Amino acid sequence: MTPPLPPGEILILGSGVFGLSTALALTQRPAFKSSKITVVDRSIFPAPDGSSIDTSRIIRPDYASPPYAHLASTAQSLWRTPSSPFSTAYTESGLVLVANTNSSGLPYVRDSFANVKALLPNPGDVEELRGRRAIEKEVGTGGGSGDWGYVNRRSGWADAEAGMRILRGMVEETGRVTFLTRTVTSLIYSSTTSTSTSTPSTSPRVLGAKFADGTSISADLVIAALGAWTPSLIDLRGRAQATGQVLCYLPLSAREQEELNSMPVLLNMSTGMFIIPPRNRVLKVACHGYGYSNPVSISIPTPEPEASRKVSVSIPRTATDDPNLWVPEEGERECRRALREMIPALADRPFTKSKICWYTDTPDGDFLITYHPSYSGLFLATGGSGHGYKFLPVIGEKIVDTIEGNCPEEFKNKWAWREEAVENVVTEDGSRGGKPGMVLDVEMGKGSKL
Ligand SMILES: Cc1cc2nc3c(=O)[nH]c(=O)nc-3n(C[C@H](O)[C@H](O)[C@H](O)COP(=O)(O)OP(=O)(O)OC[C@H]3O[C@@H](n4cnc5c(N)ncnc54)[C@H](O)[C@@H]3O)c2cc1C
């Protein structure tokens, strides 16, 4: 529900890719030149367990969906262009995208191949890899994955934390944004009839946010960009949920780093397993899968606290909550299998660090960028579904377009509030590997036999 624009006070909750890029875009719009903008995050920047902070993220226009392929391609040129502030965080290593024969990931890779061939018509940029031998030759590590795929030599990866530091610096430089380190415990709702729009509405209005230290801030517009934590503060059941994904890290010698410097990103859309070229002598093996849910019984704050009841919601569990957290054996085993297959020389090198990183998954992998249908003054900028980082240079602009009522036509349905809630949120965009339906505690309970 659109509040009167431009709002005098704008409160952005969360300073990941979605929150910070929105803050930057707002400072660049003349319409918002008088708005006071505040960004709140529970962690001092960079948030150690935020999804936007890590050694690396894949930057690719390789999507089965044409609108995402086009938008990612625009973002990619901003990562790549030497005069762009983001280019220092970007490496154009190439991406080898593969699938296993007769698997669910194959149609995604085929559609993606068609989309990037149209986007990158230069011969040599995109090349089909027919069979495992061609894949291994392109990867150059003595290993490979999958049976069919292609290489996009204009894709790459970004040092995720470096990209976020650049973005944060740009926002700070504007001098327009106040940053606060506070933990949001609830939104502030008013149940009174709102007469602030031309058509009076009876929907509760969001008036700001309350924090764990007992303080609060009021705002005319609250933008919820709390990543995987959003569903624990706003009821998104059946529309978005947190799923944990495994990452395992291993150290390399200087020589190994040198040897792997020129490898492309390798991503198998059937298994979900991927390896990004190492950075600072650390190699990461990870899974883009269905992930683990972490269902916990909580009360989601509502406009009528007395009516709120406990419901089951998947919430992130990270090293901030438990410093000894290690991935379940199932996840580590899959990472080991992938390492053995993709870089055989490192097959038995122990993982020295692991992490569970949290996606904000939606049923179809689309972002959730829209006004809340029931609470005026609340805008949702979330639902990254494991692929939001690459859009860092452009997503803030699209979020602010949508705030202004100008959501890009091709994303209007995709980013909208889904009318029908689904029973269980399982992202079915064709890109996920692994087993659906895994529960973190169940997998943890199986112990480690590794
Ligand atoms: C393992 C993994 C691999 C990925 N790989 C890729 C990739 O290769 N390419 C790609 O494009 N994308 C990738 N993604 C997806 C991408 O990283 C995310 O879509 C994106 O970073 C999400 O940004 P965000 O702003 O929504 O969330 P976040 O970055 O998590 O930001 C949310 C912020 O909210 C804060 N917060 C939470 N709760 C509270 C509270 N109560 N009060 C105040 N603040 C709070 C957190 O501290 C955090 O800083 C990956 C994600 C993961 C987890």
Side-chain angles (χ1 to χ4, degrees), residues 362-378:
T362 63
D364 32 27
D366 288 320
F367 305 154
L368 186 59
I369 298 177
T370 182
Y371 282 99
H372 194 286
S374 308
Y375 306 137
S376 62
L378 175 61

Side-chain angles (χ1 to χ4, degrees), residues 360-420:
T360 322
D361 270 338
T362 63
D364 32 27
D366 288 320
F367 305 154
L368 186 59
I369 298 177
T370 182
Y371 282 99
H372 194 286
S374 308
Y375 306 137
S376 62
L378 175 61
F379 190 88
L380 304 167
T382 188
S385 300
H387 65 100
Y389 184 87
K390 66 184 67 61
F391 298 98
L392 179 150
V394 296
I395 196 69
E397 288 294 325
K398 302 299 169 200
I399 290 170
V400 178
D401 284 346
T402 310
I403 289 172
E404 292 193 293
N406 302 318
C407 179
E409 201 52 45
E410 65 278 24
F411 288 111
K412 265 190 180 149
N413 290 331
K414 292 182 179 300
W415 294 351
W417 180 264
R418 161 186 280 272
E419 289 301 325
E420 295 284 314

Side-chain angles (χ1 to χ4, degrees), residues 36 144 171 180 220 231-232 239 307 326 372 389:
K36 182 173 180 302
V171 179
L180 294 177
D220 302 299
S232 35
R239 295 179 172 94
W326 191 266
H372 194 286
Y389 184 87

Side-chain angles (χ1 to χ4, degrees), residues 50-63:
S51 305
S52 308
I53 307 295
D54 194 10
T55 50
S56 48
R57 289 281 180 266
I58 305 171
I59 309 295
R60 58 170 169 109
D62 306 76
Y63 273 86

Side-chain angles (χ1 to χ4, degrees), residues 13-20 40-43 47 49-54 56-60 63 164 182-185 225-230 233 243 245-247 274 276 284 286-288 357-360 367 381-391:
L13 308 178
S15 71
V17 162
F18 282 72
L20 268 189
V40 178
D41 201 287
R42 67 176 188 161
S43 295
D49 56 355
S51 305
S52 308
I53 307 295
D54 194 10
S56 48
R57 289 281 180 266
I58 305 171
I59 309 295
R60 58 170 169 109
Y63 273 86
M164 286 297 290
R182 308 239 176 110
T183 301
V184 182
T185 50
L226 294 154
W229 291 266
T230 317
L233 286 161
T243 65
Q245 308 284 332
V246 294
L247 307 170
F274 65 94
I276 298 178
K284 178 172 96 177
C287 183
H288 176 62
C357 185
W358 293 82
Y359 285 2
T360 322
F367 305 154
T382 188
S385 300
H387 65 100
Y389 184 87
K390 66 184 67 61
F391 298 98

Side-chain angles (χ1 to χ4, degrees), residues 306-329:
E306 60 288 352
S308 76
R309 57 190 174 87
K310 294 229 163 177
V311 291
S312 177
V313 176
S314 175
I315 64 171
R317 191 190 310 168
T318 72
T320 302
D321 311 303
D322 173 3
N324 298 318
L325 193 65
W326 191 266
V327 296
E329 184 199 332

